[in-house]
């Protein structure tokens, strides 16, 4: 079980590092050709921005529904300690999974293909932002919990649970 926010933040980091590595390598081999001049060159960034905004709005609706369906952790399940992100800012396995095919494509077909992981970075970064806002508004943390091969979502209170006490007020043995 791990924090959903940390997982999405690390996935965003992996996609950004993969993009940077592939862009440097692809740019060194092929160079970046400018966008086409004329009407098509001016409209491309506008269409791309519109597509990003549309995907963020769709994701907002779909993911918030998924967060609401998250079940509370059982009383006997203690969430793992909240480890800081400073130790690992990206997922090495995901980095390799994204960087190798992207690097091959950028070296064979052109440097612009090195920017392919940015789409995933936008998706995961947006999801991390949505998770942050949802956790603050609802006062609960979202956890990814692995059960029988599926990944489900669970919630826990924002503050850690108070330690269990006996009837006399002493900590349990």
């Amino acid at each position: 079980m791990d924090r959903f926010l940390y997982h999405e933040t690390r996935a965003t980091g992996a996609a950004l590092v993969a993009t940077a590595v592939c862009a440097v390598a692809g740019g060194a081999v092929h160079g970046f050709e400018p966008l086409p001049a004329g009407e098509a060159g001016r409209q491309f960034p506008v269409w791309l921005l519109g597509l990003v905004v549309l995907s963020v709005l769709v994701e907002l609706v779909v993911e918030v529904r998924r967060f609401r369906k998250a079940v509370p952790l059982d009383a006997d399940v203690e969430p793992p300690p909240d480890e800081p992100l400073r130790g690992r800012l990206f997922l090495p396995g995901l980095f390799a999974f994204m960087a190798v095919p992207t690097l091959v494509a950028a070296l064979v077909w052109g440097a612009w293909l090195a920017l392919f992981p940015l789409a995933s970075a936008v998706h995961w970064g947006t999801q991390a932002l949505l998770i942050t806002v949802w956790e603050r508004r609802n006062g609960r943390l979202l956890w990814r919990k692995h059960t029988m091969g599926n990944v489900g979502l669970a919630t826990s209170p924002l503050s850690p649970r108070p330690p269990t006490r006996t009837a006399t007020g002493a900590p349990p043995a």
Side-chain angles (χ1 to χ4, degrees), residues 1 3 70-80 82 134-143 154-162:
M1 186 165 55
R3 280 268 318 261
V71 296
L73 284 177
D74 295 330
D76 60 338
V77 175
E78 187 66 33
D82 205 12
W134 189 89
E135 285 181 346
R136 299 256 174 160
R137 283 188 177 170
N138 293 292
R140 294 183 287 170
L141 299 177
L142 281 170
W143 298 90
T155 61
S156 68
L158 196 53
S159 59
R161 293 185 180 130

Side-chain angles (χ1 to χ4, degrees), residues 5-157:
L5 174 64
Y6 291 173
H7 181 268
E8 297 302 311
T9 303
R10 289 179 180 134
T12 303
L16 291 175
V17 172
T19 300
V21 168
C22 295
V24 168
V29 171
H30 293 289
F32 283 96
E33 298 152 7
L35 290 173
E39 192 65 28
R42 284 193 301 270
Q43 287 183 353
F44 177 73
V46 174
W47 279 99
L48 188 62
L49 181 64
L51 184 63
V52 167
V53 168
L54 181 65
S55 69
V56 166
L57 291 175
V58 168
E59 185 176 344
L60 177 69
V61 172
V62 171
E63 290 300 322
V64 169
R65 285 182 183 174
R66 186 171 160 216
F67 299 161
R68 287 184 189 148
K69 291 180 182 178
V71 296
L73 284 177
D74 295 330
D76 60 338
V77 175
E78 187 66 33
D82 205 12
E83 61 185 42
L85 272 173
R86 285 176 267 156
R88 289 181 28 207
L89 284 176
F90 74 100
L91 300 169
L94 182 60
F95 165 74
F97 182 75
M98 294 182 86
V100 170
T102 304
L103 184 60
V104 169
L107 293 177
V108 171
W109 290 295
W112 284 105
L113 292 175
L115 301 179
F116 178 71
L118 279 180
S120 297
V122 168
H123 169 74
W124 289 320
T126 303
Q127 196 159 6
L129 182 64
L130 289 174
I131 293 167
T132 303
V133 170
W134 189 89
E135 285 181 346
R136 299 256 174 160
R137 283 188 177 170
N138 293 292
R140 294 183 287 170
L141 299 177
L142 281 170
W143 298 90
R144 292 176 66 232
K145 119 180 140 164
H146 305 276
T147 56
M148 302 277 226
N150 295 329
V151 175
L153 292 181
T155 61
S156 68

